[in-house]
Every structure is written in C-alpha cells, then in structure tokens.
Amino acid sequence: MKKTSKDFIILLLGELFPQITRDKDMVTNQRLREDLNLDSLDMINLQLAIEDRLHYKFDPLENNLAEVFESVESVASFLDYIGFPNNS
C-alpha cells in the first residue's frame, strides 16, 4: 500500500511527539497548536524533520508557514502540492 502525505505526517508526528496517537482517523482533522498542543519549538522541530526527510527547504517568503502548519490536513495538502511522495 502506497504511503500518503497524511500517513507520512501522522507517522512523523508520532515519532517526534510520542504523546500523539498515530490513529489516522483521530488525528487527520486536528489543529497542530490548539488540538495537539504543539508549541513554537515543536512546530520548528516538525518543520525541520519534514525538511530533512523530504529534502525540501521551506521558504518563509514564499510559504505561509502559519497556514501550512495550521493542521495535519494543511501540512498534508502542502506536501501534496510540492509533490509528495516524489520527494521522499
């Protein structure tokens, strides 16, 4: 079965933050700050992990990071936009 961008981000969240469930149905619609309680440092760690794993560099001048990192769904949509899984 092919790994989707949602699968990737949920697994990555689970690796970085063990307190977050890896249940796709429970996490998919969650907001990163409000629902999953990620703070600013957590968000930076998530961004860096994505950059490292996908060999992609976020550009704060081109990418609205507040929108990209709003929810699991918004991160997955952005990953699809940049060509996931072709970058993995």
Side-chain angles (χ1 to χ4, degrees):
M1 186 169 148
K2 193 172 186 179
K3 184 167 58 167
T4 67
S5 59
K6 284 182 191 173
D7 295 332
F8 170 79
I9 194 63
I10 290 168
L11 288 172
L12 185 57
L13 283 166
E15 287 176 25
L16 295 172
F17 314 106
Q19 73 276 14
I20 296 175
T21 180
R22 294 182 189 188
D23 183 336
K24 185 176 181 177
D25 294 330
M26 291 181 66
V27 176
T28 297
N29 296 318
Q30 300 291 299
R31 295 170 297 174
L32 297 177
R33 288 185 185 270
E34 294 85 351
D35 300 324
L36 298 179
N37 298 314
L38 299 185
D39 63 21
S40 298
L41 186 56
D42 294 334
M43 300 293 269
I44 291 169
N45 286 332
L46 177 59
Q47 176 185 339
L48 293 174
I50 291 170
E51 289 179 347
D52 184 54
R53 303 258 173 105
L54 298 182
H55 309 287
Y56 177 83
K57 179 75 174 149
F58 287 96
D59 181 350
L61 298 176
E62 290 184 24
N63 310 124
N64 184 337
L65 299 181
E67 286 182 9
V68 170
F69 289 95
E70 182 178 348
S71 67
V72 172
E73 182 69 40
S74 65
V75 176
S77 293
F78 184 79
L79 295 181
D80 289 337
Y81 172 77
I82 64 168
F84 184 89
N86 296 331
N87 291 332
S88 60

